């Protein structure tokens, strides 16, 4: 089953599920010039190691842009029909927004607009964070609520949404041969 | 792929994944009189805001019943062929049962019987809570075990089970075109 | 849709999602002699109760081997074309390895080799632990990273990968009728 080329793809899944590897392969297979938008500045050894590992994984040929917050602007400025942009990831972006007490609804709306207006394809990586036990920490509860809402907004805007588990993709959108449920 | 109208649907997924929105749409599309069974009495501002947001989302025309525990009785009493009942959600119900030190197996059996005997369709919303790290808190571990068992019991009793992620449905039951795995 | 008999199956999912029940049914349906490899020695009442419950669930006729670490050796030694082996579960195995400060990459490679070389079919049960909020505890973060990597490695080696939710299977591999996503 083939579908038209996607303009915006959301790749979601749990931690270390293989989301980035899948997203990078999408970009590579497009044969467009790959642009990596990193939403984190590594601030500890654990994260530095992860960033370094990801860089090696991707290989050469990627342009890298570090942007903690203004990813809508980066997409607007950098997207061309010859480039494929990977935003990795929306979870760190959201956490940067919350830390800065930004208006998350407004920032989400700006990102949705930037995705729609992008001249070339954009793949966004995000995390599933809401399938554990309710966190005791109120900030963690607010974060998982915000992450759930953000994921739904971007999923609604995207042409394709893929859930990754154990490195394997389940396509959630476009919806495929599933039974139609009604009462 | 169309399937016969479902008598009982279980909608599961992580926090803020879009479960309620999906469940409400099922009820609305049935064109039956919608009945909302709220399993929580809001006891803090965070929850009050959420309840109010859900009410606005649903819109007018819903009858609302607040019932923390006896949802089997509510279904038995309120279900008619002209009504579609939404129970939102089994996770709060389970947490009420555990807080009251109720016999969860017996309560689950009563709910399964009420669902089977209901005169009209019933949609139950529940949560996936077992895909995070093992909680350090023993009560949280007991809760996620009980939630897992409850979800399986209701899924077994239901005609249709839908997993929601990023607002998008994956139909788990009736099982559809999947490869048949055998050794 | 039928696929060739699987040599190695990975069954993943959240806590209490019904993974073991599904895996045991695969083994039973094979009509081969069932061998249960338990990766835990129960060390508290909670776990003892769980182990006892699982044993009753499985019923008679299973050979049981308790092995906390050397499951690659057990598979090499015990697998025959007449036997079907169930390893339950890789999450406890990984936690034993981490506790012993073992070389997890090397142990994973040994397991992958043992699975490939096994004379008969092997079913491994594992857990999804990465879809909750980021744990505050650094060891828990390391564990969920290691679990994600382990799941991907075994999924890559396996012929079949099944995700269980609410007791119901979603086949992730072999990949089935899903839209093909490209940019």
């Amino acid at each position: 089953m083939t579908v038209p080329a996607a303009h915006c793809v959301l790749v979601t899944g749990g931690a270390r599920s293989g989301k980035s590897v899948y997203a990078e392969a999408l970009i590579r297979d497009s044969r467009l010039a790959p642009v990596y938008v990193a939403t984190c500045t590594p601030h500890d050894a654990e994260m530095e190691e992860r960033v370094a590992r990801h860089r090696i994984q991707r290989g050469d040929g990627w342009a890298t842009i570090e942007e903690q917050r203004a990813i809508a602007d980066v997409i607007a400025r950098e997207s061309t029909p010859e480039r494929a942009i990977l935003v990795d990831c929306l979870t760190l972006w959201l956490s940067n927004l919350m830390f800065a007490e930004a208006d998350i609804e407004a920032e989400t709306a700006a990102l949705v607009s930037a995705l729609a207006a992008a001249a070339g394809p954009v793949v966004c990586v995000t995390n599933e964070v809401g399938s554990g036990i309710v966190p005791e920490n109120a900030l963690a509860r607010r974060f998982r609520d915000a992450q759930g809402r953000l994921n739904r907004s971007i999923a609604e805007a995207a042409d394709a949404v893929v859930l990754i588990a154990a490195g394997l993709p389940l396509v959630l959108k476009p919806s495929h041969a599933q039974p139609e449920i009604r009462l």
Side-chain angles (χ1 to χ4, degrees), chain A residues 58-136:
Chain A
R58 283 197 300 279
D60 290 334
W62 289 71
T64 297
I65 297 168
E66 288 189 6
E67 177 52 58
Q68 295 187 33
R69 258 191 78 170
I71 56 177
D73 294 349
V74 169
I75 291 168
R77 194 178 67 224
E78 300 290 340
S79 180
T80 73
E82 292 74 35
R83 289 179 184 163
I85 295 180
L86 171 55
V87 179
D88 196 352
C89 68
L90 297 185
T91 300
L92 280 164
W93 178 66
L94 178 64
S95 120
N96 296 337
L97 292 181
M98 281 186 72
F99 189 74
E101 300 186 4
D103 178 342
I104 291 168
E105 265 186 65
E107 299 272 357
T108 302
L111 176 55
V112 166
S113 297
L115 291 170
V122 182
V123 178
C124 296
V125 171
T126 193
N127 280 263
E128 293 296 307
V129 303
S131 293
I133 218 72
V134 179
E136 288 176 44

